[in-house]
Amino acid sequence: MTGEVIETPRIVHPELSARLQQHLPFARAECQPLPDEAGLSLYLLNPDFPQHALTAEQMNAVLNYPAYWAFCWASGQVLARFLREQPNWVAGKRVLDFGSGSGVAAIAAAQQGAAEVVACDIDPDALVATAANAELNGVQLSLHADFEACAGHFDAILVADVLYDRDNLPWLDRLADRADRVLVADSRIRDFSHPRYQKLGEWESNTLPDLDESPEFRRVSIYSTVAT
Ligand SMILES: C[S@@+](CC[C@H](N)C(=O)[O-])C[C@H]1O[C@@H](n2cnc3c(N)ncnc32)[C@H](O)[C@@H]1O
C-alpha cells in the first residue's frame, strides 16, 4: 500500500462542453452521479469550475444565456428521489417533464417504469442535454420544445424548479388541464395557494454542482393536483 490516491477519470461530453464554452471559457460538461445512490448520472458543469472567478463580461454572458441544463436543481433531485420512493405516480403511465433542463425528472420517471416519457424544454440546448443524459442512463425519451404542440393527454406531468420565473405561474392551470395529476417541486415558491393543488411536504437538497445558495433554496416543496 503506497497510499497513492487514484482519481477516477472524468467523462466529458464534447458537444455539451462546446455549447457551454460559447459562454463560459474552460467549462466542461462532466458525468456526475447524483447523491443518495440514486442510480442516475448526468452531464453537468464541472464541479471545480471557478464560479467566483468570472470576469464581469463572462458573468453578463452567463446571465444572458443561463445554462440551466448544466445544473441539476434541488427540486429535480427531490422529485427524482420522491419518484423512487413512490413509483406509482409514474409506473405504467404517460408522463411529461415540463422544463426538463438536464432531464433529471424525465429520466427518473423512465427508470421507475413509465410507459412513455416526453421531455419538454424551450431551450434547445436543454433538449440536447436531456438526450445525452437519457442515453447515459439507458432510457428512452421523446423530446419537445413546445408544450402546446405535444399531442394528447398525460397521466402525469412533472414540473421541477420552473416557477423561478413568475411568468410561468399560469402554467399551473394549463398543465392541470392536460393531465390526470401534476407534480410540482419548487425551491423558489414555497406555500403557494392554488385551489387545484395541495402541498405534499418539504424535502432538503441542493443544486449540483453546488451553487452555495442560501439555505432557503435548499428546501423544496412538492405539490400535486388534487385527485379528481
Ligand atoms: C431551473 S431549470 C430546472 C431544470 C430541471 N427541471 C431540474 O430540476 O433540474 C428550469 C428549466 O425550465 C425551462 N423552462 C422555463 N420556462 C419554460 C417553458 N415555458 N416551457 C418549457 N420549458 C421552460 C428552462 O429552459 C430550464 O431548462
Side-chain angles (χ1 to χ4, degrees):
M1 290 282 281
T2 59
E4 184 189 353
V5 176
I6 300 170
E7 284 210 6
T8 321
R10 296 176 178 186
I11 303 168
V12 172
H13 194 285
E15 185 187 346
L16 293 176
S17 298
R19 284 171 191 250
L20 276 176
Q21 284 164 15
Q22 288 171 3
H23 307 278
L24 288 174
F26 314 119
R28 296 184 304 276
E30 270 184 13
C31 176
Q32 293 165 51
L34 296 197
D36 302 334
E37 296 166 17
L40 202 164
S41 296
L42 298 169
Y43 291 111
L44 302 172
L45 178 70
N46 50 304
D48 55 358
F49 181 80
Q51 294 168 42
H52 305 294
L54 292 179
T55 64
E57 197 186 337
Q58 286 164 346
M59 188 53 89
N60 252 341
V62 172
L63 293 175
N64 289 328
Y65 167 76
Y68 293 125
W69 55 268
F71 296 86
C72 182
W73 297 84
S75 299
Q77 283 178 77
V78 164
L79 197 48
R81 209 186 302 156
F82 180 83
L83 295 179
R84 236 177 27 252
E85 285 162 9
Q86 300 191 37
N88 53 311
W89 283 90
V90 291
K93 300 195 164 150
R94 181 169 196 245
V95 178
L96 181 134
D97 177 11
F98 181 78
S100 58
S102 64
V104 55
I107 293 165
Q111 287 179 329
Q112 299 312 321
E116 181 192 347
V117 184
V118 179
C120 173
D121 203 295
I122 41 171
D123 178 355
D125 285 354
L127 295 181
V128 176
T130 295
N133 287 323
E135 191 182 346
L136 179 67
N137 290 281
V139 299
Q140 294 266 335
L141 308 175
S142 42
L143 308 172
H144 238 293
D146 179 5
F147 175 76
E148 304 294 359
C150 292
H153 194 75
F154 291 90
D155 297 309
I157 293 182
L158 312 173
V159 188
D161 265 338
V162 176
L163 302 181
Y164 62 92
D165 181 349
R166 302 291 155 123
D167 287 349
N168 281 333
L169 283 170
W171 282 104
L172 290 174
D173 274 312
R174 276 184 241 158
L175 297 174
D177 289 341
R178 293 280 307 276
D180 288 352
R181 301 298 291 274
V182 180
L183 271 176
V184 177
D186 214 274
S187 61
R188 265 47 189 178
I189 295 193
R190 195 162 297 109
D191 299 322
F192 75 70
S193 158
H194 187 293
R196 298 172 81 177
Y197 287 81
Q198 64 193 344
K199 185 165 169 171
L200 302 183
E202 282 188 17
W203 288 263
E204 293 273 336
S205 192
N206 61 266
T207 299
L208 265 187
D210 199 344
L211 286 171
D212 231 355
E213 294 175 294
S214 67
E216 63 175 308
F217 295 139
R218 293 168 185 260
R219 276 174 45 218
V220 174
S221 305
I222 298 187
Y223 308 84
S224 75
T225 45
V226 180
T228 49

